[in-house]
Amino acid sequence: KSETYIQRLAEIYANAAETRVDYPERYPFSASNRGRNPLTGQLQLVARLLGGGVKTKVFLVKIGGFDTHANQTTDYDPTMGGHAALMYHISSAMRAFQNDLTKRGLADRVLTLTMSEFGRRIGSNGSYGTDHGAGGPIMMFGNGVKPGIFGTNPDLSRNNVDMQFDYRQIYANVLRDWMEVDQDVITNDIFFRDFVSGANPEGGNYEPLEITRDVVLDSEHFLQKHYKIDKVHPNPATDVSNIDLMVNDRQLVALELYDVDGRLVMQKELQLNPGKHTERLRVSSLKPGIYHLKATSEKLNDTKKIVVRR
């Protein structure tokens, strides 16, 4: 079975084109921290497997070295040193990964989340390092993430980062909003609700955080719901018909009107931002009869019937 699995992964890998993006290799700002970026090879592999059509829903990549109790920075510059190199590795590799996904047409389908087994304290411990702390940041990347910072600034006088979010809530929201897992499953399996008594000994319940936004999921249903001709009114029309169009991101939409014989009688292009838009279609010059309105874009493909009367 392992051989079959490996062979299938090799086929998927071979089906995808090589990356056209330059991934970072070295930390460029310090001779003492120029180790190879450990995320480069991992993220290149993930991007290529996704490009080949792999059905895996979750990938795990790793970067270590954050347990820096000493020499986290240099003694001459707090913005330089081992920790700065690690943060550079993450940010530069993720930038390349996102660019790779965009060129492969996959950027709207992938969400990346960072996690750590421990947090760090705020102040130095006296040896240019930091000790373990209660809380820590979670970073999220991707077109499906609502940009910005969630939470409030920590109280720096406490020399520790208090936890503001139960990490299970972060995972639960990603499962619910991004992967469309049923909320009952999340309550029972993430928050460990007892099936018999209904008790929740670990505490907590699913709470919407709205950390993701609606973009394209790997679902035809999603496309049909968020990219469509929402309404044609009035219909039948005598002079003007209003076309309500819905898109979920910036789209160049082509509108085409065909008669019953399949002849193109009207066309126009619209550059639409996310949201609902109304386009006036003047039909006074058309003969009475049945027409078909087609709206197409990168993600939109919808057709509605229009009846013209006099």
Side-chain angles (χ1 to χ4, degrees), residues 223-294:
L223 292 176
Q224 293 172 356
K225 180 180 178 182
H226 294 276
Y227 298 83
K228 62 181 180 180
I229 302 174
D230 190 49
K231 190 178 180 181
V232 178
H233 57 99
N235 192 13
T238 57
D239 183 27
V240 172
S241 187
N242 297 306
I243 315 302
D244 292 345
L245 297 163
M246 182 180 293
V247 294
N248 201 54
D249 56 8
R250 187 171 173 81
Q251 295 282 298
L252 179 62
V253 177
L255 279 182
E256 298 173 331
L257 191 66
Y258 295 88
D259 63 19
V260 291
D261 295 321
R263 291 188 294 262
L264 179 65
V265 297
M266 191 181 301
Q267 63 180 342
K268 60 173 63 178
E269 284 191 342
L270 309 169
Q271 184 69 64
L272 302 181
N273 291 318
K276 191 173 183 179
H277 306 267
T278 299
E279 179 69 17
R280 289 169 60 85
L281 198 67
R282 188 166 296 280
V283 297
S284 57
S285 62
L286 299 178
K287 296 178 180 179
I290 297 175
Y291 294 83
H292 296 279
L293 177 71
K294 186 175 183 180

Side-chain angles (χ1 to χ4, degrees), residues 23-24 26-27 36-40 43 61-66 82-98 112-116 137-141:
Y23 277 78
R26 304 286 176 181
Y27 178 64
R36 186 175 184 276
N37 192 322
L39 292 175
T40 288
L43 292 175
V61 299
K62 295 182 179 181
I63 176 172
F66 283 88
H83 187 75
L86 289 169
M87 297 306 294
Y88 174 86
H89 287 329
I90 293 177
S91 62
S92 60
M94 281 307 307
R95 176 185 289 274
F97 181 61
Q98 288 299 130
T112 306
L113 173 75
T114 67
M115 62 185 75
S116 175
I138 289 177
M139 295 181 287
M140 299 180 70
F141 308 90

Side-chain angles (χ1 to χ4, degrees), residues 26-36 71-77 79-86 89:
R26 304 286 176 181
Y27 178 64
F29 302 114
S30 172
S32 61
N33 289 289
R34 286 184 177 168
R36 186 175 184 276
N71 300 317
Q72 187 173 354
T73 69
T74 63
D75 57 358
Y76 58 87
D77 187 346
T79 67
M80 301 293 288
H83 187 75
L86 289 169
H89 287 329

Side-chain angles (χ1 to χ4, degrees), residues 59-70:
F59 290 87
L60 177 64
V61 299
K62 295 182 179 181
I63 176 172
F66 283 88
D67 200 2
T68 47
H69 292 273

